[in-house]
Amino acid sequence: MSNNTKAPLSMVVLAFALVYIVWGSTYFFIQNALKGFTPFVLGAIRFVSAGIILLLICRAKGLDIFKWRQIKIAALSGFLLLFLDNGMFIWAEQYLPSSLAAIMASTVTLWFIFLDKRQWKVNFSSKKILLGVLIGLIGVVLLFWERLQLIFHTGFKKEQLIALLMLTFGPSTWAIGSLYSKYKSDKDDNAFVSTGWQMLFAGIIFLVGSFIKGDMQKVEWAHLPVRSIYSLVYLIAFGSLLAYTSYVWLLQVKSATIVSTHAYVNPVIAVFLGALFGHEDISFIQIIGLIIILSSVLLISRIKIKWPIKRKAQFTP
């Protein structure tokens, strides 16, 4: 397939659907998994398992998975994306509602705009992009306005304040890792090989951390809640193998700003899951927030940005 080949529209739509919908559900499943696993153990099992599975699939397909330059880039981007950002969110969800975590995650779009120096001219000159980002943030706040009022009225404990600080700066490491992976990767690097190494390296760091903290001994392996086990399997299969690989691939074929709109849609999915499985009511103000968020995503996604780097449209490993 030529380097100039554009990604098939059907593949782009499928990848966005996975990133939008599946990642929106991970906040719910992470909290369920934490009922039985500690944060470091959860991260270790999830990412080591997903990384090994994906690399074995790539190898079975005849792909070269031992390109040293690609491995080095994947190691650093995996540390930034999965260990720092995802690790902070996993830890924070022990003390804060998943809904608040979803709100803080939505700021990643702002970080992309501020940190993507190569696209400053496009991002800051496009009124549609800036307006879309502002509208999206307003929609997210409206979506969780009632819950935010309750959280702030009841006050924060020390651990909750630390968790809030983590969620404030965590998305910046996600943006840095994503941009590093996007611009440093070679045009011939397979996205799925890179993803496999990212997850494996992040998982190994989580594993080391779990032994240092003694987290392995804290897990009651003989009495793990069934929902924690099911949630872990879901996070490995859907959250990592499907959604995360789709995200890395999308970064190769689409603007980072457009791909980051998942941060606005994910809270919408979180609200629907709360309504379906948590028996939570959806208020009128939340419906307004949902409409505003979807409008912002449509506005930003209509922007066509030409990238100087051509990528191979390889969606399957």
Side-chain angles (χ1 to χ4, degrees):
M1 191 177 292
S2 154
N3 286 350
N4 295 322
T5 302
K6 292 184 178 180
L9 179 60
S10 60
M11 295 295 98
V12 172
V13 171
L14 175 60
F16 267 113
L18 289 170
V19 173
Y20 279 178
I21 297 172
V22 173
W23 267 2
S25 67
T26 55
Y27 296 99
F28 173 80
F29 286 100
I30 285 173
Q31 281 207 323
N32 278 340
L34 288 172
K35 301 298 182 183
F37 299 98
T38 59
F40 275 93
V41 172
L42 175 60
I45 298 176
R46 175 185 176 182
F47 293 119
V48 167
S49 300
I52 291 175
I53 291 171
L54 187 56
L55 287 173
L56 288 175
I57 292 174
C58 290
R59 187 62 178 171
K61 292 286 186 178
L63 297 175
D64 182 4
I65 64 172
F66 294 109
K67 295 168 65 175
W68 178 236
R69 182 180 179 278
Q70 184 177 11
I71 293 174
K72 288 193 296 183
I73 293 172
L76 181 54
S77 56
F79 172 77
L80 291 166
L81 284 159
L82 300 177
F83 179 72
L84 285 186
D85 179 75
N86 199 269
M88 282 189 276
F89 272 83
I90 292 174
W91 188 90
E93 284 199 47
Q94 296 177 106
Y95 306 104
L96 295 174
S98 59
S99 57
L100 183 58
I103 292 174
M104 302 307 294
S106 67
T107 61
V108 72
T109 305
L110 291 176
W111 287 109
F112 270 113
I113 289 177
F114 292 137
L115 296 175
D116 193 357
K117 187 175 181 180
R118 296 193 187 188
Q119 290 301 310
W120 277 357
K121 184 176 181 181
V122 175
N123 289 337
F124 288 107
S125 64
S126 172
K127 293 180 180 179
K128 287 185 178 180
I129 288 180
L130 297 177
L131 181 61
V133 170
L134 177 60
I135 291 174
L137 288 174
I138 292 173
V140 171
V141 171
L142 284 177
L143 188 64
F144 295 108
W145 180 250
E146 293 156 333
R147 295 186 189 182
L148 281 174
Q149 286 182 314
L150 178 62
I151 291 168
F152 282 100
H153 285 165
T154 55
F156 284 94
K157 297 178 181 178
K158 179 183 177 181
E159 292 83 1
Q160 291 176 317
L161 288 173
I162 295 174
L164 192 61
L165 286 174
M166 283 186 166
L167 297 186
T168 300
F169 295 101
S172 68
T173 65
W174 183 271
I176 293 170
S178 297
L179 293 171
Y180 176 78
S181 176
K182 179 180 183 68
Y183 291 122
K184 290 295 183 180
S185 296
D186 188 80
K187 63 182 180 180
D188 293 321
D189 289 345
N190 184 277
F192 295 88
V193 173
S194 295
T195 304
W197 284 115
Q198 285 178 13
M199 293 191 291
L200 182 56
F201 274 107
I204 291 173
I205 299 173
F206 272 116
L207 185 62
V208 172
S210 69
F211 281 111
I212 293 175
K213 286 176 58 61
D215 278 9
M216 286 292 181
Q217 290 73 34
K218 297 176 183 177
V219 177
E220 297 182 10
W221 298 99
H223 304 286
L224 282 172
V226 174
R227 64 175 176 171
S228 294
I229 297 173
Y230 287 157
S231 295
L232 175 59
V233 172
Y234 179 89
L235 290 170
I236 293 172
F238 293 92
S240 296
L241 289 176
L242 289 179
Y244 185 64
T245 52
S246 298
Y247 173 80
V248 174
W249 178 78
L250 281 172
L251 281 177
Q252 293 190 343
V253 298
K254 288 293 179 181
S255 153
T257 301
I258 293 176
V259 176
S260 70
T261 56
H262 73 84
Y264 292 154
V265 180
N266 292 163
V268 176
I269 303 302
V271 167
F272 279 119
L273 282 177
L276 288 173
F277 300 105
H279 306 292
E280 300 173 0
D281 295 327
I282 298 180
S283 65
F284 177 74
I285 193 172
Q286 287 180 315
I287 294 175
I288 298 298
L290 295 176
I291 295 173
I292 291 176
I293 289 171
L294 295 177
S295 299
S296 74
V297 172
L298 288 174
L299 183 62
I300 296 174
S301 62
R302 287 174 64 88
I303 308 299
K304 294 183 178 180
I305 302 176
K306 295 182 179 180
W307 293 89
I309 303 174
K310 299 291 185 180
R311 300 287 186 184
K312 284 189 176 182
Q314 301 170 324
F315 188 70
T316 55

